[in-house]
Amino acid sequence: MQPLLTVNFYASSSGAEPVRDWLRDLPREARKVIGEDIKTVQFGWPLGIPLVRKLESGLWEVRSRIRDGIARVLFTVEGSTLVLLHGFVKKSQKTPADDLEIAKRRKQEVHHG
């Protein structure tokens, strides 16, 4: 079975890939869970709750349960590419405004160069 979407990491103008760096710093077990969840989205897009939640037009989050809490990977879709914009471990019910702003800014870069 072919994936419906290709997965790419957001890269800054300097070439940094913050989501890849964030994932590398997580325990192996957490990386595995998040990776499986992203793969589920890649093969099953479009998906909804409980795995994927739409935050706003063109911006979604993958919701992964890990030992330390709930990991979130915010992403956008550009054509047939799922672009991982920002990742964090959630400490409260609401998505922190700072994390949302980072993802929105990166989404603008992805969609408007």
Side-chain angles (χ1 to χ4, degrees):
M1 188 168 134
Q2 289 290 94
L4 300 169
L5 299 172
T6 306
V7 176
N8 282 349
F9 288 94
Y10 161 83
S12 69
S13 56
S14 66
E17 294 176 323
V19 177
R20 188 186 301 263
D21 295 340
W22 171 75
L23 282 168
R24 276 195 191 119
D25 290 341
L26 291 175
R28 186 169 183 268
E29 180 185 305
R31 287 196 310 265
K32 187 174 183 333
V33 169
I34 294 165
E36 290 289 327
D37 288 345
I38 290 169
K39 185 176 176 183
T40 299
V41 175
Q42 183 184 12
F43 279 83
W45 185 253
L47 294 170
I49 296 288
L51 184 60
V52 175
R53 185 169 72 102
K54 185 173 187 170
L55 299 174
E56 64 174 46
S57 178
L59 186 64
W60 294 268
E61 65 179 3
V62 177
R63 304 149 53 99
S64 300
R65 291 195 173 279
I66 60 172
R67 187 181 303 159
D68 298 340
I70 301 167
R72 294 288 189 256
V73 178
L74 279 51
F75 70 94
T76 191
V77 176
E78 175 74 19
S80 62
T81 303
L82 186 153
V83 183
L84 306 177
L85 300 170
H86 183 57
F88 60 98
V89 176
K90 209 163 139 174
K91 307 284 191 237
S92 66
Q93 283 295 99
K94 199 164 164 38
T95 298
D98 292 354
D99 290 303
L100 198 52
E101 279 309 309
I102 290 167
K104 286 180 182 181
R105 194 172 57 249
R106 291 176 182 167
K107 180 184 91 168
Q108 283 298 110
E109 285 181 45
V110 168
H111 291 292
H112 303 293

